[in-house]
């Protein structure tokens, strides 16, 4: 059986539950906190902001766990920056933290610029 698509215009996502919409367009289970319209997470009745989903297992922490880990970012959950001796969390689709991602982009751009200069033919005066 083919997955049902969200009926919102130009939306390629899959419809959730018994609804005709994806989570972003109001489909699936909603947070049960009064006034909240976000999607409920996991087997809970609330969104992450209202205590739903997987929580960090560190003593006294009530933040949400990140990714497939059992901890929040502060307590070591999620992906870590791959830069030597950095233990901050990696951001977005990168393998670096925000600081080292900027440094890496600059380094790659400098290498690319140097490669362009090195491949230019020498012009005789």
């Amino acid at each position: 059986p083919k997955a049902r698509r969200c009926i919102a215009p130009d939306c390629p996502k899959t419809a959730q539950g018994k609804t005709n919409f994806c989570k972003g367009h109001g489909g699936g289970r909603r947070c049960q906190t009064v006034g909240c319209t976000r999607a409920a997470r996991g087997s809970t009745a609330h969104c992450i902001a209202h205590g739903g989903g997987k929580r960090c297992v560190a003593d006294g922490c009530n933040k949400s766990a990140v990714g497939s880990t059992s901890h929040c970012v502060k307590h070591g959950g999620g992906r870590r920056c791959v830069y030597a001796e950095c233990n901050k969390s990696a951001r977005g689709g990168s393998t670096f933290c925000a600081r080292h991602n900027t440094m890496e982009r600059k380094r790659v751009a400098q290498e690319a610029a140097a490669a362009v200069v090195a491949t230019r033919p020498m012009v005789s005066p």
Side-chain angles (χ1 to χ4, degrees):
K2 194 171 183 180
R4 292 176 302 110
R5 295 285 170 216
C6 177
I7 62 171
D10 299 322
C11 184
K13 295 181 181 176
T14 304
Q16 296 293 309
K18 296 178 182 178
T19 67
N20 290 319
F21 296 97
C22 66
K23 286 184 180 180
H25 289 114
R29 294 178 308 105
R30 300 279 103 186
C31 179
Q32 297 301 301
T33 301
V34 176
C36 184
T37 59
R38 293 188 209 120
R41 298 299 294 254
S43 61
T44 64
H46 298 280
C47 66
I48 290 201
H50 292 113
K54 202 167 61 168
R55 308 315 275 182
C56 180
V57 296
D59 287 339
C61 183
N62 63 354
K63 294 181 179 179
S64 62
V66 181
S68 61
T69 65
S70 297
H71 293 89
C72 65
V73 171
K74 180 180 179 183
H75 293 113
R79 292 176 299 109
R80 297 281 133 189
C81 179
V82 297
Y83 198 83
E85 298 183 24
C86 180
N87 62 357
K88 292 182 179 179
S89 63
R91 305 291 287 260
S94 173
T95 55
F96 296 99
C97 65
R99 177 181 181 195
H100 293 124
N101 188 41
T102 301
M103 289 172 53
E104 182 66 10
R105 282 192 316 214
K106 286 180 182 177
R107 185 190 64 78
V108 169
Q110 287 172 344
E111 286 179 3
V116 168
V117 169
T119 59
R120 284 190 187 150
M122 294 293 285
V123 178
S124 299

